[in-house]
Amino acid sequence: MSTETKERYNDAELAEFKDLIKGKIQKAQEQLALYKSAYVNDGNNGTDDTSPTFKAFEEGSETMSKEANSQLAIRQEKFIRDLKNALIRIESKTYGICRVTNKLIAKERLKLVPHATLSMEAKNLQR
């Protein structure tokens, strides 16, 4: 069966994608919680009584680490939002349809990138 002739994924296929996406959301939320806990952690490693030079280095490193964790948390939140939007598309039975070509996105692509809204054909046109 060619992806060109099929208009949408059937309900069984959509249910399969739904399970895949729900699992990814759960893992992504766990990862987000780790990023957030690392960000809120005060990072006090007992450097209060050590040399001022080391303490300054430690504070600079802590700031960089908090910024990195903050960026990771922002990316993770966007990923979760994209996955939840994919669930909405599953419910409306529009999941897996390329928003540019209106053709089905290959099942292999959706298994790797379940929140994809573009087929490889459309993605390559963007370059």
Side-chain angles (χ1 to χ4, degrees):
M1 188 180 326
S2 168
T3 55
E4 255 81 63
T5 58
K6 218 169 145 182
E7 288 185 25
R8 73 169 186 88
Y9 285 107
N10 67 40
D11 291 348
E13 291 168 318
L14 291 177
E16 189 182 322
F17 284 123
K18 187 176 189 174
D19 290 343
L20 173 77
I21 291 169
K22 282 184 172 183
K24 286 197 177 276
I25 288 174
Q26 184 178 346
K27 285 181 184 167
Q29 286 174 330
E30 290 167 5
Q31 193 67 46
L32 177 61
L34 286 174
Y35 294 146
K36 284 186 172 180
S37 71
Y39 177 77
V40 224
N41 184 5
D42 68 353
N44 184 354
N45 294 326
T47 57
D48 295 336
D49 59 350
T50 58
S51 75
T53 308
F54 180 76
K55 187 170 170 128
F57 171 76
E58 185 71 19
E59 286 170 355
S61 175
E62 179 184 329
T63 302
M64 281 177 39
S65 179
K66 280 189 176 186
E67 286 175 12
N69 279 326
S70 174
Q71 288 301 313
L72 288 171
I74 289 167
R75 283 181 52 200
Q76 199 69 358
E77 285 170 342
K78 182 187 180 314
F79 180 55
I80 291 167
R81 186 178 62 241
D82 289 347
L83 288 170
K84 286 181 176 179
N85 287 337
L87 286 178
I88 293 168
R89 291 192 303 277
I90 285 175
E91 293 305 316
S92 66
K93 302 190 189 299
T94 59
Y95 179 78
I97 300 170
C98 176
R99 61 186 163 86
V100 173
T101 65
N102 284 323
K103 294 178 185 173
L104 277 186
I105 299 170
K107 211 176 204 180
E108 297 75 30
R109 173 164 168 69
L110 290 172
K111 284 184 178 179
L112 293 173
V113 188
H115 57 288
T117 59
L118 294 175
S119 63
M120 284 311 296
E121 178 186 347
K123 190 88 174 146
N124 289 334
L125 290 174
Q126 285 185 332
R127 292 181 184 165

